[in-house]
C-alpha cells in the first residue's frame, strides 16, 4: 500500500471539507473494499478521511413508511436488526449474504453504495427497493445514483449520510456467489410495492447494476416465478471473465430472479 | 507517523505507526504478538481474525490507526495463564488442527460465534459461520467438532468470554 495522509474528522461537515481540500482523497468507511484495493495498489489515494469517529452516522430507524439506515451502519447490524427484519426482511437477508461474518462486522452500507462495485449487493437492493441516497448536500434517487462501473452521482466533497428505503410489500434477494470472493456472480433483488415491480441485477452488467425491465414487465402480469419461464436475457452488455461467460451470467439472471420471486412470495 | 494507543489483551499499549500500517502488522511487528497470522492478505482466509471492541474482524483489512482507543483481543489473550481457553482445549482434544496456520483465526472466529449465537451450535450453523476461515489441511470435519465441543465447554464454564 502506498503512503497516504490520514484524517479522522468528528463531523460530516469536517469530512466534506477535508474531502474537498484533498484532491483524489477517499472516504474510509469500513474499508473492506478500499483497503484491499489499496493493498493491491489498484488505488493510491493521497489522503484517507476516516468516518469511524463521526457521530450519528450509524443506526437504523423507521421514519413513517421508510426504513432509514445510517451510512456507517455495519452489514452485521442490518442483517441482525429486528427493525429491518420486520420492515423489509429481504434486506436483512441480503446484508447477511455479504462477504463473511468478519467482513460484515466492518463493511458499511454507505461504503458499499458509494463504491458501487459492479458485483456488490447493496446497489441492487437500493435500485430494486427505490431507495433514496441522502448525502450532506441532497437526496438522490437510486435510479440516478448508480451511474456506471464504480461510478456514482456523488460530486466532489459529497458524503453519503443515510439511505432511506420505502417499505415494500414483498422483497427478496437471490445471489449466486463466487465462492472465493463471496461477491455476486449474479445477484437479483426483486421488490413489489403495490403494482410497481422492480428487478435489479448486480454482478452481471458490464456497466454495473441495472434494472431488468423485461423481467419486471413479465412479473407485472403475475408476481410468480412461473411468469419468468422462457424469458432469456440477452448476453450483450453482460460481463464475462474466468468465472463465467456472458451467456452463463445472462442465464443466471432469470434463474436468480425466479428464486428471488419465490422467496419474496414466501415472506 | 501517528501515535496510537489501544488496549490489547487487557493491557494498554501504544506505538508510533505510519497511517498505512495494518492492524495485523501493528500486532505482529510492533507488539510481537505473532499468534495472529497473515495468510492470504486479501481478507478471504481468516487467519488474521482478532476481536476489535468485541467483534471479529480481519486484521489484515483494518488500519491500526482506526483502532485508536479500541479494545483488541488476539489469540494470545484467550488462555488464562497456562490454562487453555475452552475453545483452544477443544481444538487440541478434537484434533482440530494439523499444520496450525489457520488455527488462531479459527479459534477467534469460533469464540465470536459463541458470543453471538450461544453455546449450543449445530453443525450447519458452525459451517455457515466459518465461511470466512479457510483451512487447507483438515477438511474441516474436526474443526467443526472442536467448535461444537468448545462452545459447549464455554457454556458450561459460564461463557468464559475472551478477555474483553
Amino acid at each position: 500500500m502506498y503512503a497516504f495522509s490520514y484524517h479522522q474528522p468528528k463531523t460530516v461537515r469536517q469530512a466534506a471539507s477535508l474531502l474537498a481540500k484533498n484532491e483524489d482523497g477517499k472516504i474510509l468507511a469500513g474499508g473492506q473494499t478500499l483497503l484491499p484495493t489499496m493493498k493491491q495498489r489498484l488505488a493510491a489515494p493521497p489522503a484517507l478521511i476516516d468516518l469511524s469517529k463521526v457521530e450519528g452516522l450509524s443506526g437504523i430507524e423507521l421514519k413513517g413508511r421508510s426504513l432509514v439506515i445510517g451510512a456507517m451502519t455495519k452489514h452485521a447490524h442490518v442483517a441482525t436488526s429486528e427493525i429491518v427484519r420486520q420492515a423489509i426482511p429481504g434486506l436483512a437477508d441480503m446484508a447477511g449474504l455479504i462477504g463473511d461474518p468478519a467482513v460484515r462486522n466492518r463493511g458499511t452500507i454507505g461504503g458499499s453504495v458509494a463504491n458501487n462495485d459492479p458485483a456488490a449487493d447493496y446497489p441492487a437492493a437500493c435500485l430494486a427497493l427505490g431507495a433514496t441516497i441522502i448525502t450532506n448536500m441532497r437526496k438522490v434517487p437510486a435510479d440516478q445514483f448508480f451511474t456506471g462501473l464504480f461510478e456514482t452521482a456523488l460530486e466532489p466533497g459529497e458524503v453519503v449520510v443515510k439511505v432511506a428505503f420505502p417499505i415494500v410489500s414483498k422483497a427478496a434477494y437471490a445471489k449466486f456467489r463466487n465462492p472465493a470472493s463471496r461477491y455476486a456472480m449474479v445477484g437479483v433483488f426483486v421488490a413489489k410495492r403495490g403494482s410497481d415491480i422492480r428487478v435489479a441485477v448486480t454482478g452481471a452488467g458490464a456497466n454495473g447494476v441495472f434494472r431488468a425491465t423485461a423481467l419486471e414487465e413479465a412479473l407485472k402480469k403475475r408476481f410468480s416465478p412461473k411468469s419468468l419461464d422462457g424469458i432469456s436475457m440477452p448476453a450483450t452488455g453482460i460481463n464475462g471473465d474466468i468465472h463465467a461467460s456472458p451467456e452463463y451470467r445472462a442465464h443466471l439472471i432469470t434463474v436468480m430472479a425466479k428464486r428471488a420471486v419465490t422467496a419474496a412470495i414466501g415472506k | 507517523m501517528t501515535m496510537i494507543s489501544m488496549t490489547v489483551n487487557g493491557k494498554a499499549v501504544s506505538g508510533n505507526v505510519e497511517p498505512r500500517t495494518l492492524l495485523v502488522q501493528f500486532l505482529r511487528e510492533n507488539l510481537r504478538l505473532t499468534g495472529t497470522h497473515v495468510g492470504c492478505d486479501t481478507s478471504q482466509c481468516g487467519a488474521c481474525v482478532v476481536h476489535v471492541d468485541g467483534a471479529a474482524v480481519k486484521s489484515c483489512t483494518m488500519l491500526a490507526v482506526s483502532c485508536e482507543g479500541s479494545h483488541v483481543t488476539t489469540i494470545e489473550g484467550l488462555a488464562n495463564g497456562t490454562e487453555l481457553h475452552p475453545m483452544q482445549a477443544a481444538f487440541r482434544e478434537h484434533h482440530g488442527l494439523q499444520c496450525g496456520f489457520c488455527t488462531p483465526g479459527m479459534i477467534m472466529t469460533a469464540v465470536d460465534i459463541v458470543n453471538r449465537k450461544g453455546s449450543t451450535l449445530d453443525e450447519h450453523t458452525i459451517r455457515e459461520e466459518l465461511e470466512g476461515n479457510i483451512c487447507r489441511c483438515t477438511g474441516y470435519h474436526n474443526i467443526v467438532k472442536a467448535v461444537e465441543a468448545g462452545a459447549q465447554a464455554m457454556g458450561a464454564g459460564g461463557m468464559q468470554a475472551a478477555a474483553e
Side-chain angles (χ1 to χ4, degrees):
Chain A
M1 193 183 324
Y2 290 108
F4 52 85
S5 67
Y6 176 76
H7 307 272
Q8 214 171 43
K10 295 282 189 295
T11 64
V12 173
R13 186 184 287 259
Q14 283 173 8
S17 126
L18 283 164
L19 194 55
K21 258 186 247 160
N22 288 280
E23 202 186 336
D24 298 328
K26 280 276 206 184
I27 293 275
L28 174 64
Q32 298 304 286
T33 306
L34 180 57
L35 294 178
T37 311
M38 288 171 67
K39 285 164 70 175
Q40 292 175 331
R41 298 190 167 180
L42 295 171
L48 282 192
I49 297 138
D50 182 351
L51 295 187
S52 63
K53 298 289 193 277
V54 176
E55 293 282 329
L57 280 186
S58 184
I60 297 170
E61 60 177 340
L62 275 181
K63 271 197 173 166
R65 296 289 298 154
S66 278
L67 176 70
V68 182
I69 303 181
M72 286 294 281
T73 310
K74 309 283 196 283
H75 306 321
H77 187 180
V78 174
T80 56
S81 157
E82 262 314 300
I83 300 173
V84 181
R85 176 74 43 204
Q86 293 289 327
I88 311 174
L91 186 64
D93 291 340
M94 181 228 74
L97 291 173
I98 301 173
D100 59 53
V103 169
R104 293 196 287 275
N105 278 337
R106 292 291 304 156
T108 68
I109 181 172
S112 176
V113 301
N115 189 51
N116 193 19
D117 188 297
D121 303 292
Y122 263 117
C126 291
L127 201 53
L129 291 165
T132 302
I133 318 301
I134 301 166
T135 75
N136 57 328
M137 299 180 184
R138 60 197 168 126
K139 297 179 175 181
V140 189
D143 281 309
Q144 291 158 29
F145 186 83
F146 302 105
T147 53
L149 277 190
F150 298 102
E151 295 287 338
T152 67
L154 288 171
E155 303 279 350
E158 191 167 17
V159 181
V160 176
V161 177
K162 292 174 192 168
V163 182
F165 296 92
I167 291 171
V168 298
S169 49
K170 291 184 191 303
Y173 181 60
K175 172 176 176 178
F176 192 93
R177 302 197 322 169
N178 177 317
S181 73
R182 305 176 187 105
Y183 273 98
M185 299 252 284
V186 170
V188 178
F189 204 110
V190 173
K192 179 180 192 313
R193 183 161 56 141
S195 57
D196 186 24
I197 287 162
R198 295 164 65 107
V199 178
V201 181
T202 189
N207 209 23
V209 66
F210 66 93
R211 282 174 65 184
T213 43
L215 303 183
E216 291 178 357
E217 290 307 318
L219 289 169
K220 272 177 193 158
K221 296 189 187 101
R222 187 161 162 255
F223 193 72
S224 156
K226 282 206 167 57
S227 305
L228 304 179
D229 279 345
I231 299 184
S232 54
M233 295 292 289
T236 43
I238 300 296
N239 279 333
D241 55 26
I242 56 164
H243 306 297
S245 64
E247 290 73 20
Y248 185 68
R249 277 196 171 84
H251 176 74
L252 276 179
I253 295 172
T254 310
V255 174
M256 290 298 114
K258 283 185 183 179
R259 289 187 192 171
V261 172
T262 305
I265 291 169
K267 285 190 199 301
Chain B
M1 299 291 267
T2 307
M3 192 66 187
I4 53 168
S5 305
M6 64 186 84
T7 306
V8 177
N9 299 331
K11 283 191 208 130
V13 298
S14 56
N16 215 4
V17 298
E18 276 193 279
R20 63 178 165 175
T21 306
L22 299 166
L23 175 58
V24 70
Q25 282 175 289
F26 180 68
L27 294 170
R28 289 178 57 87
E29 294 168 22
N30 289 57
L31 304 181
R32 301 283 169 189
L33 292 172
T34 54
T36 303
H37 291 167
V38 179
C40 69
D41 208 9
T42 55
S43 56
Q44 297 179 39
C45 82
C48 66
V49 169
V50 301
H51 297 183
V52 175
D53 295 325
V57 304
K58 293 186 165 172
S59 61
C60 80
T61 310
M62 185 166 185
L63 298 175
V65 285
S66 296
C67 298
E68 169 67 33
S70 292
H71 287 258
V72 177
T73 306
T74 70
I75 187 73
E76 289 93 344
L78 290 188
N80 180 14
T82 55
E83 186 195 342
L84 292 179
H85 182 279
M87 193 59 78
Q88 293 174 305
F91 268 70
R92 184 174 65 179
E93 178 65 25
H94 292 272
H95 208 81
L97 57 146
Q98 285 179 30
C99 87
F101 192 86
C102 71
T103 313
M106 285 284 176
I107 290 178
M108 295 313 288
T109 296
V111 172
D112 180 66
I113 299 170
V114 180
N115 289 346
R116 286 184 291 114
K117 304 229 159 203
S119 58
T120 308
L121 299 170
D122 60 47
E123 181 187 336
H124 179 76
T125 303
I126 295 168
R127 286 184 182 273
E128 290 269 309
E129 290 287 331
L130 284 179
E131 71 174 337
N133 292 76
I134 294 172
C135 171
R136 298 284 79 146
C137 309
T138 63
Y140 300 98
H141 289 293
N142 288 353
I143 291 176
V144 173
K145 276 187 217 161
V147 174
E148 191 179 352
Q152 279 172 5
M154 280 173 71
M159 290 292 281
Q160 274 173 289
E164 56 197 12

